[in-house]
Amino acid sequence: MKKILVVSGHTDLNDSVANKLILETLKKELPQAEFDFLDKLYPDFKIDVKAEQEKLTKADIIVLQFPVFWYSYPSLMHKWFEDVFVFGFSHGTGKALNGKTLLASLTSGAPEEIYRQNFTINDLLAPLKQTAALCGMKQANFVYTGGVSYALRNEPEKRREIEEKAKLHAQRLIDELNGLS
Ligand SMILES: Cc1cc2nc3c(=O)[nH]c(=O)nc-3n(C[C@H](O)[C@H](O)[C@H](O)COP(=O)(O)O)c2cc1C
């Protein structure tokens, strides 16, 4: 059985609907997976580099779960990359991530149609793809859901739609992971 590490990059899961529900569903459905809640572990952005590198080293499949913030991953996930993916560990003389699989699982406030114009979600994931390539990682298909904006969640009907989308997202992600294991 392949070891799955799910890294949550949301900056505050207490203020989340979609990512929180996706992660809760994953926790229930994938009891053997390890979960890394960056907002809980590092509210001060002071990443424990050794601990994070150990978690990555043990994993076969690394899922990055995050909301799109300014067409990228949230600041906390950027900091995690900057501190943990260093020369001698992930690339250069280090080969710790070689052969592992990276899967991006992301949500956006803007609806999916927006990302069929101008820049697509695939375009936004370019830095992640390049990082995976640098580190010799395999890339799984990304799992994406749009139209789950925090601006909609105060309307009960919209909130229910967001929750429905989040459940479907979690199921698609689990199917994708089952295909890899
Ligand atoms: C600081 C910030 C920046 C955001 N930037 C974008 C963006 O660039 N594109 C987009 O479609 N949604 C953007 N959003 C909306 C979030 O992606 C959306 O609220 C999130 O995916 C919902 O997930 P959650 O319920 O887990 O918080 C942004 C939200 C915040 C708070």
Side-chain angles (χ1 to χ4, degrees):
M1 168 89 54
K2 292 199 172 153
K3 289 194 188 114
I4 300 170
L5 172 68
V6 180
V7 182
S8 165
H10 202 295
T11 44
D12 184 7
L13 281 171
N14 293 324
D15 187 30
S16 159
V17 175
N19 282 259
K20 193 171 160 198
L21 190 46
I22 292 166
L23 287 156
E24 282 171 359
T25 310
L26 290 182
K27 261 205 135 191
K28 224 184 292 159
E29 300 293 324
L30 302 172
Q32 75 287 7
E34 182 165 8
F35 287 80
D36 206 9
F37 295 102
L38 298 184
D39 66 326
K40 303 280 181 297
L41 288 167
Y42 310 117
D44 54 2
F45 279 52
K46 291 201 177 104
I47 313 278
D48 182 338
V49 174
K50 196 162 173 283
E52 294 303 315
Q53 289 180 341
E54 274 169 16
K55 285 180 238 180
L56 287 167
T57 303
K58 276 194 270 160
D60 301 303
I61 301 170
I62 296 143
V63 177
L64 300 179
Q65 176 62 51
F66 60 94
V68 172
F69 281 5
W70 293 114
Y71 307 105
S72 186
Y73 17 87
S75 49
L76 183 54
M77 192 166 251
H78 261 286
K79 180 75 163 53
W80 177 81
F81 268 115
E82 288 170 17
D83 288 3
V84 178
F85 282 51
V86 289
F87 186 94
F89 172 71
S90 50
H91 61 285
T93 50
K95 304 267 179 259
L97 305 179
N98 222 304
K100 297 181 189 292
T101 300
L102 192 69
L103 193 163
S105 172
L106 62 163
T107 64
S108 74
E112 301 186 8
E113 307 86 84
I114 295 292
Y115 294 106
R116 287 192 205 106
Q117 308 151 15
N118 208 12
F119 295 102
T120 65
I121 288 292
N122 198 41
D123 293 330
L124 301 190
L125 290 175
L128 200 55
K129 286 165 187 271
Q130 187 69 353
T131 302
L134 176 72
C135 301
M137 300 176 86
K138 292 178 267 185
Q139 293 165 56
N141 296 327
F142 64 82
V143 179
Y144 161 66
T145 297
V148 295
S149 173
Y150 67 94
L152 301 172
R153 64 171 72 136
N154 294 330
E155 295 172 44
E157 193 166 329
K158 295 280 178 206
R159 190 185 178 100
R160 273 195 295 278
E161 281 174 27
I162 292 173
E163 287 168 347
E164 213 39 56
K165 284 183 176 188
K167 283 185 208 155
L168 288 172
H169 182 112
Q171 197 47 60
R172 282 192 287 132
L173 177 52
I174 290 164
D175 290 347
E176 196 63 41
L177 287 168
N178 285 338
L180 297 172
S181 309

